[in-house]
Amino acid sequence: MTSNFSWQSFKAQKIAELSEHIEAKRADPLCLPVIDAINKNPSLVTTSSCSGRFVLLEFNIETSKKEAKFYKRWHRTVTAEEVELALSEYPETKNLPLWFKVEPFIFHVAAKDLNTAKKFLETVRKIGIKRGGIQTVSANKIMIEIQGTGYMAIPTWAINGEWTKVIDIGNEILERNFKMLKKMEKVFESW
């Protein structure tokens, strides 16, 4: 059984999809320098990414995660006032619990072969990224996921209206996350 898979065609397709996302302003701009650095390697291509974010998520812990819905998202640091305003505008008729979350960066990367995947993972581990690994292995490519560690999840009803300290902690988590993105960009620029 022969495969018609071509690494070059696969990579070109992923780069074209990225260009479409950039043009439509659906790409996370904070990821782009890291994406560009990784994609310069002929044996790697990114398939999806997020730089890290703040989220207000409609989620009832008694139901499936698939039923969760984003209410608000920010791919940057935020102020307590922004979060409080978003919460005040949340329709009471929804009757769904809102969760305030800080989520770390996440990158999905395809490697042409196992040696490239191993080198990629060794490189990110050296700069301090501990969460990540090979997700799938096929004859055509190795799929890798890496993720930051800064995370927070709090039900909004538990805060009682005083968001300043929570936001300060969340912003600190996200800033550390963004510093790791800069490290990744730098290391993959010279890879």
Side-chain angles (χ1 to χ4, degrees):
M1 182 173 185
T2 59
S3 171
N4 291 332
F5 181 85
S6 158
W7 172 259
Q8 289 78 14
S9 296
F10 172 75
K11 181 167 178 156
Q13 174 193 353
K14 293 302 172 188
I15 300 290
E17 289 171 9
L18 173 62
S19 295
E20 289 173 16
H21 284 285
I22 292 169
E23 194 171 307
K25 302 209 183 301
R26 290 189 315 259
D28 183 344
L30 292 175
C31 285
L32 294 178
V34 178
I35 289 170
D36 289 342
I38 292 171
N39 288 345
K40 284 181 183 174
N41 185 303
S43 297
L44 293 170
V45 67
T46 57
T47 61
S48 66
S49 60
C50 175
S51 65
R53 62 191 175 188
F54 282 100
V55 176
L56 286 173
L57 187 70
E58 298 174 348
F59 178 64
N60 185 342
I61 60 173
E62 295 174 8
T63 61
S64 165
K65 183 180 175 184
K66 291 178 182 177
E67 295 175 36
K69 294 183 179 140
F70 289 110
Y71 170 57
K72 295 282 182 182
R73 286 182 271 201
W74 299 270
H75 287 88
R76 58 174 173 76
T77 57
V78 296
T79 65
E81 292 78 20
E82 286 177 286
V83 174
E84 290 166 359
L85 178 63
L87 289 170
S88 72
E89 294 173 345
Y90 184 68
E92 289 182 28
T93 57
K94 292 241 181 178
N95 288 333
L96 282 171
L98 273 180
W99 286 75
F100 173 79
K101 296 176 73 178
V102 179
E103 297 178 330
F105 65 81
I106 186 167
F107 286 83
H108 293 101
V109 179
K112 184 177 180 179
D113 55 58
L114 188 56
N115 285 336
T116 303
K118 286 170 55 178
K119 183 179 176 188
F120 179 88
L121 289 169
E122 289 168 1
T123 301
V124 297
R125 295 236 191 300
K126 284 179 187 174
I127 62 170
I129 297 171
K130 304 298 181 209
R131 291 183 70 189
I134 293 173
Q135 299 299 304
T136 60
V137 177
S138 71
N140 304 319
K141 62 187 174 299
I142 314 296
M143 291 303 303
I144 305 164
E145 178 183 271
I146 59 169
Q147 193 174 119
T149 55
Y151 183 83
M152 176 193 309
I154 303 169
T156 59
W157 54 263
I159 303 301
N160 293 326
E162 180 47 51
W163 283 91
T164 304
K165 289 180 183 175
V166 173
I167 297 299
D168 288 347
I169 293 167
N171 281 331
E172 185 177 324
I173 290 169
L174 211 55
E175 288 292 343
R176 276 194 235 141
N177 178 75
F178 294 153
K179 285 179 184 172
M180 185 59 73
L181 290 178
K182 289 288 185 194
K183 278 185 176 180
M184 284 175 54
E185 177 187 356
K186 187 175 182 178
V187 76
F188 285 112
E189 279 291 334
S190 61
W191 209 48

